């Protein structure tokens, strides 16, 4: 069986971020292939939405509405990680898609990314997440809509730098999101998700805390015994620059009470 990240484009086969020239034993980097190309053919994901990767704006056609998430919705990595996007970013993308579909209801919509593998991966993930959360697609249906681009997506990695001992594919993330939706853990209904609250506690300057299973399981960074009575304390690195913020037990206790812990 094929790898979940296998794709054949003309005279090349793309496996994750590796490029194999067909009928040739020497692999090459995917980025090397992309250096000689300005775009990849757009393809329809679902009517009327298309996906297109290009670094050449002259390839864009008139009469079609193009939009991009680059510079709008982004992932802040710790080291070499580049995703996946968190539930807040998924919610923001769903809001963006709903507005684009409403504003341009009579036009073709094309989600555009650069030819960067990581940018392609995150855009594909978000588009599939929209289909799961807003269009009620299941995992096999979602995967079937991306056969032309999943081969361009690279596996997500752990935040730790260096050699990885696992691969987390876009399909794995879609599967987790779909399961969370089935269980009611991911809910974008009118009373199902509070973006402002999520972003507040997600911020490492406020709490770095997340409710993983609503009403059941909260994950957070461990509190510290601080030298002062302040609820938080900023930590500097050896050169005197800001490193991170530590929080007291009392700070987290007040927040956890709000989550009925």
């Amino acid at each position: 069986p094929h790898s979940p990240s296998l794709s054949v484009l003309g005279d090349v086969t793309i496996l994750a971020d590796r490029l194999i020239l067909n009928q040739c034993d020497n692999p090459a980097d995917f980025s090397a292939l992309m250096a000689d190309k300005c775009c990849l053919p757009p393809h329809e994901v679902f009517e009327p939405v298309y996906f297109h990767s290009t670094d050449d704006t002259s390839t864009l056609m008139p009469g079609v509405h193009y939009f991009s998430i680059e510079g709008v919705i982004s992932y802040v990595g710790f080291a070499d990680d580049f995703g996946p996007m968190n539930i807040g970013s998924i919610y923001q993308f769903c809001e963006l898609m709903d507005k684009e579909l409403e504003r341009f209801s009579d036009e073709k919509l094309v989600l555009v990314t650069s030819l960067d593998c990581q940018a392609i991966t995150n855009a594909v993930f978000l588009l599939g997440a929209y289909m799961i959360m807003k269009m009620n697609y299941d995992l096999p249906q979602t995967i079937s809509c991306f056969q032309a681009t999943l081969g361009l997506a690279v596996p997500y990695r752990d935040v730790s730098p260096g050699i990885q001992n696992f691969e987390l594919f876009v399909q794995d993330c879609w599967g987790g999101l779909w399961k969370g939706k089935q269980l009611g853990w991911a809910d974008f209904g009118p009373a199902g998700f509070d973006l402002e609250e999520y972003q507040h506690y997600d911020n490492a300057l406020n709490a770095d805390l997340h409710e993983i299973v609503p009403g059941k399981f909260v994950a957070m960074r461990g509190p510290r015994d601080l030298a002062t009575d302040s609820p938080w304390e900023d930590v500097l690195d050896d050169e005197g620059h800001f490193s991170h913020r530590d929080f007291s037990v009392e700070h987290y206790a007040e927040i956890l009470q709000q989550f009925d812990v």
Side-chain angles (χ1 to χ4, degrees):
H2 284 172
S3 160
S5 191
L6 180 73
S7 180
V8 178
L9 297 176
D11 60 349
V12 302
T13 297
I14 301 171
L15 176 59
D17 60 348
R18 299 296 292 174
L19 170 75
I20 301 174
L21 301 179
N22 292 345
Q23 300 180 339
C24 176
D25 294 331
N26 297 322
D29 287 328
F30 174 72
S31 57
L33 170 70
M34 293 298 98
D36 296 328
K37 294 183 179 292
C38 62
C39 68
L40 294 173
H43 85 277
E44 182 179 358
V45 180
F46 63 88
E47 179 63 32
V49 176
Y50 290 72
F51 184 83
H52 186 37
S53 298
T54 181
D55 285 332
D56 183 2
T57 57
S58 67
T59 64
L60 305 185
M61 299 178 295
V64 177
H65 177 67
Y66 294 88
F67 68 104
S68 173
I69 62 168
E70 295 183 33
V72 179
I73 301 175
S74 60
Y75 177 91
V76 179
F78 290 90
D80 296 330
D81 53 310
F82 65 95
M85 298 287 190
N86 62 30
I87 194 71
S89 295
I90 295 172
Y91 182 86
Q92 288 179 297
F93 181 79
C94 288
E95 292 285 289
L96 172 65
M97 278 295 303
D98 282 344
K99 291 177 181 178
E100 296 294 311
L101 287 167
E102 182 179 358
R103 289 176 59 201
F104 302 96
S105 58
D106 297 327
E107 298 183 35
K108 300 292 185 183
L109 301 181
V110 182
L111 176 60
V112 180
T113 73
S114 68
L115 289 172
D116 176 74
C117 295
Q118 295 180 358
I120 292 173
T121 303
N122 282 332
V124 165
F125 168 67
L126 287 175
L127 194 51
Y130 175 84
M131 296 163 68
I132 291 170
M133 296 302 298
K134 303 292 287 190
M135 301 177 66
N136 296 319
Y137 277 55
D138 61 22
L139 181 59
Q141 289 173 323
T142 304
I143 291 175
S144 68
C145 293
F146 288 91
Q147 291 302 319
T149 52
L150 275 177
L152 307 178
V154 294
Y156 291 115
R157 51 173 293 133
D158 186 70
V159 299
S160 304
I163 299 175
Q164 300 289 290
N165 59 7
F166 73 96
E167 291 181 324
L168 180 66
F169 291 98
V170 167
Q171 298 92 312
D172 301 321
C173 301
W174 285 337
L177 182 64
W178 179 83
K179 187 65 175 179
K181 181 183 178 183
Q182 296 300 111
L183 295 172
W185 299 353
D187 181 4
F188 288 171
F193 186 77
D194 188 331
L195 178 62
E196 183 177 354
E197 179 185 72
Y198 177 88
Q199 291 179 327
H200 175 80
Y201 290 122
D202 172 67
N203 193 319
L205 297 180
N206 294 328
D208 200 5
L209 175 148
H210 301 87
E211 188 180 33
I212 308 301
V213 180
K216 188 68 174 179
F217 178 45
V218 174
M220 65 184 190
R221 186 154 45 90
R224 301 286 185 178
D225 290 326
L226 304 183
T228 67
D229 293 332
S230 174
W232 52 267
E233 182 178 280
D234 288 339
V235 179
L236 306 181
D237 61 22
D238 294 338
E239 297 180 353
H241 300 136
F242 175 81
S243 171
H244 63 277
R245 177 170 291 179
D246 285 335
F247 298 98
S248 68
V249 173
E250 292 76 13
H251 175 78
Y252 277 119
E254 182 177 343
I255 296 173
L256 292 175
Q257 287 177 357
Q258 299 176 33
F259 287 92
D260 296 325
V261 175

